[in-house]
Amino acid sequence: MKSYRKELWFNVRKRREFINITPQVNTCLEESGIREGLVLVNAMHITASVFINDDESGLHQDYEEWLEKLAPHEPISQYRHNNTGEDNGDAHLKRQVMGREVVVAITGGKLDFGPWEQIFYGEFDGRRRKRVLVKIMGE
Ligand code: ZN
């Protein structure tokens, strides 16, 4: 069995953003040479997510508004976590809802997606360098 590991780095200028990272994951898959197996893609930070859905701008706006209703950024004093001196209490909650990681099957050297599926990095506390882990195992 072969194993491949890579870290993808992001420095999102805004506090929150969704980025389609499917092209980077495809590049990793090509580099790995693995034809049959599984790829794990996970955020390495507790204020960011990796998730799968449609690359459709209206849906991304819906996520932004829905998450902001669930866990508004302001006022930052509403979160006990921010008593530590941080201002990212909302980002931890948003990350929990959107998830830490995805696993995708690899079949015939390709990501074996359902219709319209794409992999996204969800940033909820940006403006600093953060990482995503790509781990591929198979043969
Ligand atoms: Zn925090």
Side-chain angles (χ1 to χ4, degrees):
M1 190 191 68
K2 283 195 257 184
S3 171
Y4 170 99
R5 181 188 190 277
K6 189 162 190 180
E7 293 176 3
L8 307 176
W9 286 86
F10 299 91
N11 194 348
V12 174
R13 286 171 179 226
K14 293 187 281 182
R15 184 177 287 274
R16 290 190 296 277
E17 195 167 326
F18 299 124
I19 300 169
N20 187 338
I21 61 169
T22 312
Q24 290 97 314
V25 177
N26 269 321
T27 299
C28 292
L29 184 52
E30 283 165 26
E31 285 175 8
S32 76
I34 291 170
R35 306 273 308 160
E36 296 291 326
L38 294 172
V39 54
L40 165 76
V41 187
N42 69 267
M44 298 183 82
H45 302 265
I46 52 181
T47 53
S49 288
V50 172
F51 63 95
I52 291 181
N53 218 299
D54 193 1
D55 195 0
E56 196 280 306
S57 60
L59 177 64
H60 296 181
Q61 191 66 35
D62 291 337
Y63 279 139
E64 165 64 18
E65 291 171 14
W66 178 65
L67 290 167
E68 210 35 38
K69 275 184 216 158
L70 281 175
H73 177 65
E74 303 271 0
I76 60 171
S77 61
Q78 72 190 299
Y79 299 104
R80 287 188 189 87
H81 178 66
N82 290 340
N83 293 341
T84 61
E86 291 193 85
D87 68 352
N88 65 4
D90 66 308
H92 289 272
L93 300 179
K94 287 166 173 143
R95 177 266 167 90
Q96 207 70 42
V97 168
M98 297 304 284
R100 172 183 181 263
E101 78 275 306
V102 300
V103 175
V104 181
I106 300 158
T107 305
K110 305 266 186 224
L111 297 171
D112 202 343
F113 283 137
W116 303 107
E117 286 191 332
Q118 296 283 289
I119 305 171
F120 292 90
Y121 175 65
E123 178 61 80
F124 305 115
D125 185 27
R127 300 175 296 189
R128 57 198 168 103
R129 276 165 56 77
K130 290 164 84 168
R131 287 175 293 165
V132 166
L133 176 67
V134 179
K135 181 88 180 189
I136 308 176
M137 299 181 80
E139 51 191 21

